[in-house]
Amino acid sequence: KSSAQSLLRFLGFVFLGIAATQVLGGVLVILMFKNYSDLFQESYLSLPGWLAIAAALILLPAGVLAGSISSTSSRYQQGALMYLLLLLLCLEVSSAVLAHVYSIRMASQLESAMGYLVYQHNGSCSQDLGSRAMDVMQRKLQCCGVHNYTDWLKAPTTSWHLPACIPESCCKEKYSHCRGHLGHLEQLSQEGCLKKLEDQLCFVMLYVFWCCTVLSILELLAGVSNGILMRHQPFRDFLIL
């Protein structure tokens, strides 16, 4: 009984401390899909992030309850904690599963989505390109094309413009006078956007997945500890469940 009580109190402090980590993961997922909404047009893709934030908010009262409960606590406190832990477990598992499924699904769709954006680009050397989705992404990630800058040479509109050039968003930040001309390859980002965005997507989703997985295990431990303490109450106290 004393071991269960000590573990429950420890887990209560852990829940309070880890809530910020959970919020961070949720925000990262939401911002990821918001910043690249032209590639991820389905609004439900940010659902794992919102579920993670909702779970973090519930972690706060659950942590306070877990830290204050003892074997002599009222049945209402113990029952309320068990309800919160059950709700948290559902949210965490749902968020982890969705994060895993979406990361696999999105990784397979990124290449075709980027290829379509490159195909739609007008391929001109104009400076007025910042509003286009591919240009915004290339500036943010400091990348060029899907796999590399040669993807722009395959675009059907590139051959219309002479001299040969690619969007100025491919230029490295330190070259302020870069205009995307292929005669100055050292001024252009050499890495493609696909790999960089896949790495970001993988990191964010794995972060949420492992946070939710670890928290689910801790919540199960807290539930078992709370159940042990509830055994020391009269049988009628289980009616709250």
Side-chain angles (χ1 to χ4, degrees), residues 17-77:
I18 209 168
T21 305
Q22 186 84 342
V23 169
L24 176 61
V27 170
L28 286 176
V29 171
I30 294 170
L31 290 179
M32 178 77 179
F33 291 108
K34 181 180 179 181
N35 291 337
Y36 304 106
S37 56
D38 292 280
L39 293 172
F40 310 109
Q41 296 183 356
E42 297 91 345
S43 58
Y44 62 83
L45 293 177
S46 60
L47 184 58
W50 290 112
L51 289 178
I53 292 177
L57 296 178
I58 299 175
L59 270 175
L60 297 177
V64 172
L65 268 177
S68 61
I69 278 181
S70 66
S71 59
T72 58
S73 295
S74 70
R75 59 186 178 181
Y76 300 106
Q77 285 180 297

Side-chain angles (χ1 to χ4, degrees), residues 2 20 99 171 174:
S2 60
C171 295
K174 63 181 179 180

Side-chain angles (χ1 to χ4, degrees), residues 48-215:
W50 290 112
L51 289 178
I53 292 177
L57 296 178
I58 299 175
L59 270 175
L60 297 177
V64 172
L65 268 177
S68 61
I69 278 181
S70 66
S71 59
T72 58
S73 295
S74 70
R75 59 186 178 181
Y76 300 106
Q77 285 180 297
Q78 293 175 334
L81 177 60
M82 199 65 83
Y83 278 128
L84 287 177
L85 291 174
L86 180 61
L87 179 57
L88 278 170
L89 187 62
C90 293
L91 289 174
E92 301 288 0
V93 171
S94 299
S95 184
V97 170
L98 289 176
H100 179 68
V101 171
Y102 288 172
S103 62
I104 297 175
R105 177 180 175 183
M106 290 299 99
S108 64
Q109 294 180 358
L110 275 178
E111 186 171 3
S112 60
M114 284 187 184
Y116 179 72
L117 291 179
V118 170
Y119 182 86
Q120 277 199 322
H121 204 288
N122 66 10
S124 70
C125 300
S126 169
Q127 298 182 28
D128 187 22
L129 301 175
S131 61
R132 295 183 177 87
M134 199 66 190
D135 294 294
V136 172
M137 179 167 54
Q138 289 181 151
R139 288 193 174 97
K140 282 183 179 179
L141 300 179
Q142 284 294 287
C143 57
C144 188
V146 181
H147 300 284
N148 52 52
Y149 72 92
T150 59
D151 292 313
W152 289 108
L153 303 179
K154 303 171 188 176
T157 53
T158 304
S159 59
W160 301 352
H161 304 281
L162 294 172
C165 63
I166 57 179
E168 291 181 22
S169 55
C170 283
C171 295
K172 297 178 181 177
E173 289 182 342
K174 63 181 179 180
Y175 295 106
S176 57
H177 301 293
C178 173
R179 292 295 177 266
H181 294 286
L182 295 177
H184 302 282
L185 289 179
E186 73 281 356
Q187 299 180 356
L188 305 176
S189 300
Q190 301 298 313
E191 192 173 358
C193 296
L194 178 62
K195 183 180 183 304
K196 285 197 169 185
L197 194 55
E198 279 182 342
D199 290 344
Q200 279 196 10
L201 177 66
C202 182
F203 171 78
V204 169
M205 288 303 189
L206 278 178
Y207 181 94
V208 171
F209 175 81
W210 284 112
C211 273
C212 293
T213 301
V214 171
L215 274 171

